[in-house]
Amino acid sequence: MTLRLSGLASGLDTESVIEALIEVKQQPIDTLNDELDTNSEIYDIWEEIDLATSTLSAAVTDLCSYSTWNAKNITFSDEDVVDGTVSGSLANDGDYYLIVTDLAVAHSYHTDTSAVSDTDSQLNLSGTFTINGVEITVNTTDSLEDIRDSINSETSNMDGVGATASIIGTALVLTSGETGVGNEMTITDTDGILTGLGLFNNETAAQDMAGTIDGISVSSTTNDSVSDFITGVTLNFNETGTSTIRVNRDTESIIETIDTFITAYNDLMDYLSVQTEYVDSEEAGSTDNEEGDSGLLNGDSLANQIQRKCRAILTQVTNENETVTSLYSCGIWTESEDNNFAIVDEDALEDALNSNFEEVQSLFRSYGSADPTDEDEDGLFRQLDSYLTYLLDGTGGGISTKMDTIADKDARLEDRIERMQADLETYELELWQHYAIMEEAVSTIQTSADYVLSAIGESRSDD
């Protein structure tokens, strides 16, 4: 370990001198650390751009999706009679007039209400009966509630059409597990227990749902989730009556998807604008960046390219012989000089979707050429999707390449800083060694001088 002597012989403030020399040598390292900090900020910015681009890509994918443009909407003039859902392009547009004359009913029995005075007293009955082949045992201590519980316990895992038991008032009710003709219960009253309670005096026959759609007879064993009447439509029948079922294109969901895209697009463009902004000193304080600071991506070629390329794709004019030739034709355009889009004319968009749907769909998502490598004739959002896919490609994509370049540069900077820091520590050690040698030399000279002066009767303290 080097002995640190701070001017004992020379009178110099050795520590301050060395600190000043080290500070000069530290400056290049500080500059590199500042560069490293800036690169870290830039890397974080590109991470945000990557995330915003991914969000935009998902919205663009939706606008290129077949299911988006073939979504259907279903409405009912009387949902008390019927409601349901529609499954995309499987259903044909049109109005269907429905008449429900009967609802599906489950086969059921109930005991005489006068058979027992209450439901929790023992009946003093014993024996067995079967429901759909499942045997139920009754003991003399059982009440009507006990019989109900035994039935539900034994039939809970029944194969095929099940059965459930309930109590209404003082009556035991047996109901088939499924509605409709063909789903009736088979009951064998082996020891006459159910007969004695009057069960077979009170039967409700199974019944199918029945009605007409546009005059065509339809029927179903169930009231719910009926999907074989109108292709692509699933219906639930709630009561008898009439209702008009309307199936049409779901333009509202298309507009919502366009809105989602516009939000994602504008978010990305706004963020890029801030990060690439040039701030003149005279403009300081009137921008989103800190006073006097330009965006860290100011002058970055890829950041500027993203803004220009996306706008260039979306502002193209295509299919000049058609009515819908651009997004402007659909009421979608830039609102100002900012690189942002908006639905500037909602009526124009709705009219285009209702009057020229195929042209709008083609503008957005068509494949314009049989050659998959020829993207210039593709729909606008097909082209945008290809560009965003390139940007987001994890191996060689625009954004990943940019981030990898920053990471590689940081790694080289860190290695360089580490080497320079090691050199600086060696330099400091050498300085202390040199000054220690100097102090020793000065001390030796002073000792010799003292000896000579002493020999002639003088001293360094004499004037």
Side-chain angles (χ1 to χ4, degrees), residues 343-355:
I343 299 176
V344 295
D345 189 338
E346 293 184 7
D347 291 339
L349 178 56
E350 291 179 3
D351 182 65
L353 288 171
N354 291 325
S355 303

Side-chain angles (χ1 to χ4, degrees), residues 80-371:
D80 289 338
V81 173
V82 64
D83 60 54
T85 59
V86 63
S87 177
S89 60
L90 294 177
N92 293 321
D93 292 357
D95 290 347
Y96 304 86
Y97 183 66
L98 168 71
I99 301 175
V100 179
T101 53
D102 297 297
L103 290 178
V105 176
H107 180 219
S108 68
Y109 293 97
H110 69 80
T111 61
D112 290 337
T113 56
S114 59
V116 298
S117 57
D118 59 69
T119 61
D120 58 356
S121 297
Q122 69 180 40
L123 300 176
N124 296 314
L125 298 174
S126 63
T128 62
F129 59 86
T130 61
I131 302 176
N132 295 348
V134 175
E135 185 176 81
I136 311 297
T137 300
V138 178
N139 300 308
T140 57
T141 58
D142 286 346
S143 65
L144 203 62
E145 293 176 359
D146 293 327
I147 296 175
R148 174 201 62 192
D149 295 342
S150 294
I151 293 171
N152 289 333
S153 175
E154 294 297 329
T155 61
S156 60
N157 296 317
M158 181 184 295
D159 293 331
V161 178
T164 58
S166 60
I167 290 178
I168 300 177
T170 57
L172 175 68
V173 181
L174 296 181
T175 306
S176 175
E178 296 181 21
T179 58
V181 176
N183 293 320
E184 293 86 354
M185 295 175 290
T186 301
I187 300 176
T188 303
D189 190 15
T190 308
D191 294 307
I193 294 173
L194 299 178
T195 302
L197 294 172
L199 182 80
F200 300 108
N201 299 331
N202 308 285
E203 180 181 9
T204 299
Q207 177 178 281
D208 287 343
M209 172 271 157
T212 62
I213 297 178
D214 290 347
I216 299 173
S217 296
V218 293
S219 64
S220 170
T221 59
T222 180
N223 297 313
D224 299 322
S225 302
V226 180
S227 58
D228 52 0
F229 290 173
I230 303 172
T231 302
V233 174
T234 300
L235 299 173
N236 304 306
F237 301 100
N238 306 316
E239 63 181 41
T240 59
T242 63
S243 180
T244 298
I245 304 168
R246 172 165 294 177
V247 177
N248 54 17
R249 183 175 290 114
D250 189 0
T251 56
E252 183 176 336
S253 70
I254 295 175
I255 294 173
E256 289 175 358
T257 306
I258 292 172
D259 269 328
T260 299
F261 156 76
I262 288 173
T263 299
Y265 177 87
N266 290 343
D267 285 347
L268 175 59
M269 294 304 126
D270 287 343
Y271 187 73
L272 285 168
S273 294
V274 171
Q275 302 306 326
T276 58
E277 185 177 28
Y278 171 72
V279 181
D280 188 276
S281 58
E282 296 179 358
E283 300 173 351
S286 62
T287 71
D288 290 327
N289 286 305
E290 294 182 10
E291 184 173 335
D293 289 340
S294 295
L296 288 177
L297 298 189
N298 175 249
D300 186 278
S301 59
L302 179 60
N304 289 321
Q305 181 204 85
I306 293 172
Q307 296 176 84
R308 292 194 308 270
K309 181 72 171 178
C310 291
R311 185 183 179 95
I313 291 173
L314 295 174
T315 54
Q316 291 179 83
V317 175
T318 63
N319 303 325
E320 295 182 1
N321 295 325
E322 297 182 353
T323 302
V324 178
T325 59
S326 66
L327 292 181
Y328 184 79
S329 305
C330 307
I332 305 168
W333 207 242
T334 55
E335 287 187 300
S336 63
E337 293 181 358
D338 295 333
N339 193 18
N340 287 355
F341 275 82
I343 299 176
V344 295
D345 189 338
E346 293 184 7
D347 291 339
L349 178 56
E350 291 179 3
D351 182 65
L353 288 171
N354 291 325
S355 303
N356 297 285
F357 181 82
E358 295 302 328
E359 290 187 14
V360 176
Q361 181 179 197
S362 176
L363 175 73
F364 275 69
R365 63 177 296 271
S366 70
Y367 288 106
S369 171
D371 182 358

Side-chain angles (χ1 to χ4, degrees), residues 353-406:
L353 288 171
N354 291 325
S355 303
N356 297 285
F357 181 82
E358 295 302 328
E359 290 187 14
V360 176
Q361 181 179 197
S362 176
L363 175 73
F364 275 69
R365 63 177 296 271
S366 70
Y367 288 106
S369 171
D371 182 358
T373 63
D374 182 9
E375 298 175 353
D376 291 340
E377 299 300 321
D378 287 350
L380 303 186
F381 288 85
R382 291 272 183 217
Q383 296 180 44
L384 186 57
D385 182 59
S386 295
Y387 179 61
L388 297 178
T389 299
Y390 149 71
L391 290 176
L392 294 169
D393 187 348
T395 55
I399 294 176
S400 64
T401 299
K402 176 70 69 172
M403 295 173 70
D404 289 344
T405 300
I406 296 171

